Amino acid sequence: MKIPELKTIPITQHYTERQSFLLHKMGIENLEDLITYFPFRYEDRTEISTLTDLVFSQETAVIRATVTAQESFFWNKKRQVKILITDHSASAELVTFNMRGIDKLMPVGQEFYIYGKFEFRFNKIQSSNFEFEPIEKFGSPTSLLGKIVPVYRVTEGLRQKEFYKIIKKSFDLSLKHIKDPVPKYFRESRNLLDKISCLQQLHYPDTFSQLEKARVRGAYEEFLCTRIALELRRMQEIKTTKEHRYPNKDILTKFKQELPFKMTSAQERVIQEIFEDLNQEHAMHRLLQGDVGSGKTTVALASMILAAANGHQAAFLAPTEVLAFQHYKKIKSLLEILQIPCALLTGSFSTKDRQPILEGLKLGTLPIIIGTHALFQKEVVYHNLSLVIIDEQHKFGVEQRGMLIKKGENPDILAMTATPIPRTITLSLYGDLDISIIDELPAGRQEITTTHVKKSQYRAMLDKLHKEIHKGRQAFIVCPFIEENENMVNVKSAEQVHAEFVKLFPQYNVSIVHGRMTQSEKDQIMKEFALNNSQILVATTVIEVGIDIPNATIMIIENAERFGLAQLHQLRGRVGRGKDKSFCFAVNHGYDADLRLDIFCSTTDGFVIAEEDLKIRGPGEILGVRQTGVPVFKLADFAKDQKILQASVNDSQLIFEKDPKLELPIHLSLLEFLELDSSFRVFSG
Ligand code: ADP
Ligand code: MG
């Protein structure tokens, strides 16, 4: 949540040096940071309980009791005080340590509200951790009992109570500055709190339902502002027109005839979406999502061919050499038939091999290039790069994608991702992109059967493996680590599994590939496996992305309990790519019950997996920004707030329909809220 009016007011201006120093440690630099530093939990101190209830329930809550006596005892060579209390249910002792003046503060005969945890010790009910207030004070503005009390994550040296005062002061300093970005007509029609009430309820909730109302209002604002910012960015991009067009699509008919399969209707639809985009005035910025094996690469190929046939250059950026090579091999024979020159360029090319390619790119005689990071090195100059394809876009940083994009003039961009992104994240963070989704697998693909294998079922799995290999199929075995490590129990290393399987399958070739090998060693092993010169490949997750070996029908994932859902799904996608039925075994060497593995076995739909993953791991993990969290959103929850997001999507659309340039006074304050976090940019520019 943002409050731009407060961002320019530094903490040091209003707080002591010591407080500023401590707040700085908590990442709080200005009043905006401070007033949006929300509690991480709330204590319900509204209900009055009884001593007996608290002892049995082990809960921490408020009781109402009268002091009946005071006693002394010695601890740490000092006289300490016990306060004896009673409520209508039982009697108890409040044991205090070095609480100066407690005997004066809690005199005999007076009644108090006491908040604490009470336990049965030495045959007595006792508490040594409690707060108290005289009855008269209960529920008053400064009281911390009788209400919902916020708990903040504070740094060492700062106590909750001091932080309460710091927050209180921030309200006194801020209230007159705060503007509400959400137009009044939406606040009214959607029954949303105004901004100040929202902030107040988040820090000082009246009730839990008001608190949730405040959170909803905050989440709505976060989504709405992000959507509007993305929409403005998109309009900005639309304004920059490009020169090139792709009017001629005859080549696509020929391309389809030459393909060894019939395209799915989802593929056809997406190619049409891309074709229409390519012929707009502004450059295409499209994100193509599709599950592993859904045929995204084929769609990308069609687009590149379209570029070449219309006299442009297209570049296909792949994350690894193995993948670049695999794509190149596939496309090459097709392109030969269509008589379109094409080349591969990776970092391992010698200067001599590189020369003719660089020349072809510079002169424009080479219309299609496939490669790795080598594609955007300084020395590479393109004649007229007009289409950039980024495979597995999340494997590249914004700068890297930007470097390639800048090699052309406003090129069209197609980014692809094989890890489906939950809809809430797509809508909010990638709202400036057009999205295409391939939601259909090629015909004849059989559903992969996935089994959660517990220790006792390992043998049966090996029997199945034997059968498949005997039929001529191939298998992947994936392990989380390369070698054994004595610190880890119940972990199968790749080396150990390799040794075992060499013994188990003497009549077959069992190979191993892992991240500690050189690129050419890895490539060699992968090539041998692709040629069926080895039948079982033991690997670490280096095989995770994009490898396409249709004859492989078995995927065994050792220690599946150690992998994330999305990663498991990626690994499973290495099989099931041909016409034969495939099997995936998620071997659980840890605890037998594992919710994640049960979810994994229950569906092969990448979008369902993505939603579940979001619930389990949160957006930070999925977006790869765990350390910093998702900075734009303090209140919105991607897993929970789909309805709120949808509301904000509708409302931002309405705003633009009414007021396309955001000029109306009711929308002006919105503009101040639209600073976007650049870490989510898919394309730099
Ligand atoms: P993705 O990149 O989405 O994981 P690919 O484009 O690599 O998928 O396709 C996976 C495999 O399916 C490849 O072997 C590809 O040749 C094949 N394929 C793609 N589209 C079809 C289709 N419509 N029918 C049959 N096979 C297809
Ligand atoms: Mg792919």
Side-chain angles (χ1 to χ4, degrees):
M1 180 179 271
K2 293 190 170 132
I3 310 176
E5 305 89 334
L6 302 183
K7 213 179 171 63
T8 51
I9 308 177
I11 288 301
T12 46
Q13 200 172 315
H14 295 285
Y15 292 87
T16 66
E17 206 172 307
R18 185 187 71 91
Q19 286 177 330
S20 301
F21 171 75
L22 293 170
L23 291 172
H24 169 79
K25 284 215 280 188
M26 293 157 65
I28 298 172
E29 305 292 346
N30 54 54
L31 277 186
E32 179 194 52
D33 297 339
L34 182 55
I35 210 163
T36 59
Y37 194 90
F38 298 120
F40 78 103
R41 68 183 175 87
Y42 300 84
E43 284 177 358
D44 185 358
R45 302 184 182 182
T46 54
E47 301 267 322
I48 309 295
S49 185
T50 63
L51 277 169
T52 35
D53 275 357
L54 289 195
V55 172
F56 289 113
S57 67
Q58 292 286 301
E59 274 170 20
T60 306
V62 183
I63 56 154
R64 178 179 174 141
T66 308
V67 177
T68 55
Q70 297 185 344
E71 286 178 8
S72 312
F73 67 101
F74 275 86
W75 178 79
N76 213 1
K77 299 189 186 132
K78 285 196 195 115
R79 194 182 81 93
Q80 309 286 352
V81 178
K82 262 189 220 172
I83 308 282
L84 277 53
I85 55 166
T86 182
D87 74 353
H88 56 87
S89 76
S91 300
E93 295 179 354
L94 303 174
V95 185
T96 71
F97 298 95
N98 300 334
M99 275 173 84
R100 225 182 301 142
I102 186 71
D103 42 359
K104 306 252 159 39
L105 287 170
M106 296 190 88
V108 174
Q110 200 167 317
E111 215 181 351
F112 291 91
Y113 282 108
I114 298 160
Y115 176 80
K117 184 167 177 154
F118 288 85
E119 284 168 313
F120 208 66
R121 273 185 244 141
F122 314 116
N123 245 346
K124 283 172 184 151
I125 300 174
Q126 286 193 332
S127 176
S128 50
N129 187 4
F130 63 93
E131 292 171 39
F132 64 95
E133 263 172 21
I135 307 269
E136 314 83 71
K137 200 184 161 198
F138 191 68
S140 75
T142 52
S143 165
L144 289 175
L145 302 185
K147 54 173 69 160
I148 299 169
V149 174
V151 185
Y152 298 89
R153 275 185 219 287
V154 288
T155 186
E156 215 183 303
L158 193 58
R159 288 183 319 127
Q160 286 295 329
K161 283 204 176 138
E162 184 175 2
F163 194 68
Y164 291 155
K165 289 194 184 124
I166 290 175
I167 285 283
K168 172 81 176 48
K169 184 168 166 186
S170 79
F171 269 89
D172 296 341
L173 292 167
S174 305
L175 285 187
K176 59 179 182 294
H177 298 290
I178 296 175
K179 288 190 230 155
D180 195 333
V182 176
K184 199 158 169 242
Y185 55 89
F186 287 133
R187 287 206 308 265
E188 280 167 4
S189 66
R190 296 211 176 267
N191 188 20
L192 296 166
L193 294 181
D194 63 70
K195 180 123 182 178
I196 288 176
S197 314
C198 163
L199 289 167
Q200 279 169 334
Q201 289 300 320
L202 285 165
H203 288 285
Y204 312 111
D206 287 331
T207 60
F208 279 100
S209 81
Q210 281 297 96
L211 174 62
E212 178 57 12
K213 224 177 146 185
R215 200 195 66 78
V216 167
R217 143 74 211 224
Y220 170 86
E221 175 183 322
E222 288 176 340
F223 282 140
L224 183 74
C225 290
T226 309
R227 283 296 302 187
I228 290 177
L230 289 165
E231 186 57 36
L232 287 176
R233 184 153 88 191
R234 179 193 169 93
M235 289 179 353
Q236 202 65 38
E237 277 160 4
I238 286 175
K239 266 196 273 169
T240 48
T241 52
K242 63 179 187 192
E243 295 291 316
H244 53 275
R245 300 283 195 284
Y246 311 61
N248 185 352
K249 64 188 255 192
D250 298 344
I251 190 98
L252 287 184
T253 320
K254 244 183 175 173
F255 170 69
K256 284 184 216 163
Q257 279 163 5
E258 296 303 333
L259 275 181
F261 46 76
K262 188 174 171 322
M263 272 204 258
T264 61
S265 52
Q267 282 171 315
E268 298 266 12
R269 188 193 71 233
V270 171
I271 289 175
Q272 184 59 27
E273 284 167 1
I274 291 173
F275 177 72
E276 280 165 22
D277 257 20
L278 291 177
N279 285 300
Q280 302 284 324
E281 265 172 40
H282 52 90
M284 168 171 82
H285 285 179
R286 191 167 275 279
L287 180 66
L288 173 55
Q289 294 194 49
D291 220 334
V292 276
S294 61
K296 295 182 293 297
T297 315
T298 312
V299 169
L301 283 187
S303 321
M304 291 201 286
I305 287 170
L306 206 53
N310 285 281
H312 311 308
Q313 280 182 315
F316 185 110
L317 178 63
T320 65
E321 274 202 68
V322 178
L323 284 172
F325 179 75
Q326 176 184 294
H327 291 315
Y328 173 68
K329 218 176 57 183
K330 274 217 160 144
I331 192 177
K332 201 172 136 229
S333 45
L334 255 173
L335 289 181
E336 267 164 19
I337 300 167
L338 300 173
Q339 294 178 318
I340 299 175
C342 153
L344 177 72
L345 180 64
T346 70
S348 63
F349 277 41
S350 68
T351 318
K352 190 165 141 273
D353 292 340
R354 208 175 281 249
Q355 215 42 52
I357 298 173
L358 293 182
E359 196 140 311
L361 288 176
K362 194 170 172 186
L363 293 175
T365 50
L366 192 53
I368 293 184
I369 182 85
I370 293 175
T372 54
H373 302 70
L375 294 186
F376 51 78
Q377 301 311 309
K378 250 212 190 99
E379 50 171 22
V380 189
V381 178
Y382 295 82
H383 178 66
N384 61 347
L385 179 63
S386 70
L387 175 63
V388 170
I389 305 210
I390 303 165
D391 194 18
E392 312 290 349
Q393 60 92 15
H394 57 282
K395 299 266 167 181
F396 299 93
V398 189
E399 302 82 35
Q400 294 180 317
R401 296 184 289 238
M403 275 159 87
L404 180 56
I405 291 164
K406 284 191 194 108
K407 298 269 180 189
E409 252 180 62
N410 254 328
D412 295 293
I413 307 162
L414 180 67
M416 305 201 285
T417 171
T419 311
I421 304 169
R423 207 178 113 76
T424 43
I425 293 186
T426 310
L427 276 178
S428 43
L429 300 182
Y430 300 115
D432 57 335
L433 304 181
D434 292 304
I435 310 280
S436 286
I437 295 181
I438 303 186
D439 47 6
E440 183 187 352
L441 286 182
R445 283 285 163 79
Q446 298 186 50
E447 179 117 344
I448 303 167
T449 300
T450 310
T451 317
H452 182 173
V453 179
K454 322 220 161 119
K455 277 174 214 146
S456 58
Q457 299 154 323
Y458 201 79
R459 275 240 65 93
M461 176 189 81
L462 289 181
D463 290 343
K464 178 72 192 163
L465 177 59
H466 256 288
K467 265 196 211 145
E468 283 289 304
I469 303 282
H470 188 68
K471 274 199 265 174
R473 303 283 89 80
Q474 290 165 277
F476 293 103
I477 326 269
V478 176
C479 304
F481 301 100
I482 300 174
E483 55 196 36
E484 258 169 288
N485 178 338
E486 53 202 76
N487 297 327
M488 306 219 186
V489 277
N490 293 334
V491 170
K492 287 253 194 156
S493 73
E495 285 180 347
Q496 181 191 353
V497 169
H498 179 244
E500 275 173 32
F501 278 70
V502 166
K503 279 200 204 112
L504 282 168
F505 293 85
Q507 65 278 49
Y508 298 105
N509 286 328
V510 183
S511 54
I512 179 168
V513 63
H514 56 68
R516 224 179 282 152
M517 296 173 161
T518 66
Q519 192 59 49
S520 64
E521 281 172 320
K522 279 190 275 187
D523 288 355
Q524 189 55 34
I525 305 232
M526 290 310 302
K527 252 181 240 170
E528 292 294 324
F529 188 65
L531 293 169
N532 199 1
N533 290 340
S534 69
Q535 289 69 46
I536 298 177
L537 178 63
V538 180
T540 53
T541 51
V542 291
I543 59 136
E544 189 185 334
V545 168
I547 294 300
D548 191 24
I549 297 168
N551 189 47
T553 57
I554 296 256
M555 166 61 69
I556 295 175
I557 306 170
E558 298 275 7
N559 292 108
E561 75 279 2
R562 288 177 169 265
F563 294 97
L565 262 181
Q567 202 177 15
L568 288 169
H569 183 64
Q570 277 286 314
L571 290 169
R572 174 166 59 188
R574 301 302 116 232
V575 297
R577 302 189 139 236
K579 56 187 187 323
D580 300 298
K581 168 98 183 151
S582 289
F583 302 87
C584 175
F585 297 97
V587 185
N588 182 352
H589 292 287
Y591 298 101
D592 275 354
D594 191 318
L595 172 68
R596 243 162 5 103
L597 292 184
D598 289 336
I599 294 170
F600 175 57
C601 295
S602 71
T603 179
T604 51
D605 183 331
F607 285 93
V608 174
I609 299 253
E611 297 291 343
E612 293 295 334
D613 205 27
L614 178 62
K615 278 186 218 154
I616 295 172
R617 291 194 306 162
E621 290 273 352
I622 290 172
L623 295 162
V625 289
R626 177 156 52 127
Q627 263 73 31
T628 47
V630 182
V632 202
F633 298 131
K634 287 189 165 170
L635 298 164
D637 179 328
F638 287 104
K640 228 165 58 175
D641 293 339
Q642 300 181 9
K643 276 203 187 123
I644 305 175
L645 173 61
Q646 196 54 56
S648 76
V649 170
N650 294 346
D651 293 354
S652 79
Q653 251 163 20
L654 282 177
I655 290 178
F656 280 104
E657 277 166 28
K658 262 198 199 152
D659 182 15
K661 291 186 184 152
L662 302 188
E663 291 163 327
L664 296 176
I666 38 167
H667 297 146
L668 278 182
S669 71
L670 266 173
L671 288 171
E672 293 168 34
F673 285 75
L674 305 181
E675 169 209 343
L676 263 187
D677 202 286
S678 63
S679 51
F680 298 111
R681 300 223 50 176
V682 174
F683 312 128
S684 85

